[in-house]
Amino acid sequence: MDRVQLVLLGLPILLFCSDVVTLFAPQPPAAPKPHRHPQPASGAFQPGDSSPYAADSAQVAEAQVDGPGSGTTVELKFCASCSYKGNAMTMKRMLDTSFPGIHVVLENYPPPFPKRALGKMVPFVQVGAIATLMAGDQIFPRFGMVPPPWYYSLRANRFGTMASVWMFGNFAQSLLQSSGAFEVYCNGQLVFSKLSEQRFPSEFELRELIGNRLSESQIGKNLEKELVLDDEVESTHAHLSVST
């Protein structure tokens, strides 16, 4: 066996072993997020502050936390193996900008269980095919079988056949691991499904769908809080102007 044959044999085996290790290796733990202490803004309410505007500043800061999307959770479940993460990140930035206070979660949408099971079996099929090509003369007689004619045809170009087995196996595994999904849920309710529509939602369409699903009670609560805050601020200013 010369050097060219060794390279043709070793390269598919090396790539195949790396695929097997990557497939069954546990996922690395997520990096811990650094804990940042919020810095009080200038003019914000400080403990012990007895100025006339202290209560108003605290109420303004509380109102700024509760945005139009406060209390709403949107889940973007997409096919990670289909390279849909870029679209999901774009939609997340759009929702964060359009509805301040909204909570957007990105998740992988896995394929059905039969496809996942078949995807796990592809590496074993690749190993069996390569082992048969390398030692078929000893494998077939152990089962009381005569090597079929196609075996000798494939073995005549065993290195090209092994490379083809590896390439087609990886293609099949990638196909079985993809779901082609881009599903959007708002507070647990499905608002858009790429599996049903066979297309991606536009930013305008998704903004309108989420806007229609925002909780009426939460929007009314925020509006009521803003009105009460405005009334209190006006009354405080009127009281100060009268006293001066």
Side-chain angles (χ1 to χ4, degrees), residues 19 27 29 44 67-68 72 105 110 113 124 136 149 167 184 186 199 205 222-223 242:
D19 289 344
Q27 296 183 354
T72 301
V105 180
F113 176 75
F124 298 99
M167 292 177 58
V184 182
C186 182
R199 62 178 178 84
E205 180 183 9
N222 292 338
L223 292 177
V242 171

Side-chain angles (χ1 to χ4, degrees), residues 104-121:
V104 182
V105 180
L106 303 183
E107 295 182 8
N108 178 41
Y109 191 96
F113 176 75
K115 294 182 66 175
R116 297 200 306 269
L118 290 175
K120 295 290 186 179
M121 293 175 58

Side-chain angles (χ1 to χ4, degrees), residues 64-242:
Q64 291 177 350
V65 174
D66 295 335
S70 178
T72 301
T73 301
V74 175
E75 299 175 84
L76 300 179
K77 298 185 179 182
F78 58 93
C79 175
S81 61
C82 302
S83 302
Y84 291 169
K85 187 175 182 179
N87 295 347
M89 293 297 298
T90 301
M91 295 299 181
K92 182 181 186 302
R93 287 192 293 267
M94 181 273 296
L95 293 175
D96 289 336
T97 304
S98 302
F99 308 103
I102 198 171
H103 181 53
V104 182
V105 180
L106 303 183
E107 295 182 8
N108 178 41
Y109 191 96
F113 176 75
K115 294 182 66 175
R116 297 200 306 269
L118 290 175
K120 295 290 186 179
M121 293 175 58
V122 169
F124 298 99
V125 175
Q126 289 177 306
V127 171
I130 293 176
T132 302
L133 289 173
M134 295 297 298
D137 292 338
Q138 290 79 27
I139 294 176
F140 285 107
R142 289 182 177 275
F143 292 95
M145 302 171 56
V146 179
W150 56 263
Y151 166 73
Y152 294 104
S153 300
L154 295 177
R155 187 172 180 178
N157 187 19
R158 71 172 68 180
F159 302 108
T161 303
M162 291 172 60
S164 300
V165 168
W166 172 77
M167 292 177 58
F168 284 108
N170 285 1
F171 174 77
Q173 187 176 9
S174 176
L175 185 64
L176 292 171
Q177 290 178 349
S178 63
S179 61
F182 193 89
E183 314 300 291
V184 182
Y185 295 84
C186 182
N187 293 331
Q189 297 181 354
L190 181 65
V191 297
F192 185 88
S193 173
K194 180 180 178 293
L195 297 177
S196 301
E197 301 291 338
Q198 297 298 318
R199 62 178 178 84
F200 282 99
S202 63
E203 293 188 16
F204 176 79
E205 180 183 9
L206 187 58
R207 185 187 298 112
E208 183 178 4
L209 290 172
I210 298 302
N212 294 335
R213 292 300 183 100
L214 286 179
S215 173
E216 297 291 340
S217 60
Q218 184 64 31
I219 295 178
K221 181 180 179 181
N222 292 338
L223 292 177
E224 182 181 357
K225 184 181 295 184
E226 292 178 3
L227 292 175
V228 172
L229 177 61
D230 293 339
D231 293 340
E232 291 180 355
V233 171
E234 291 179 0
S235 62
T236 303
H237 290 171
H239 179 71
L240 291 175
S241 62
V242 171

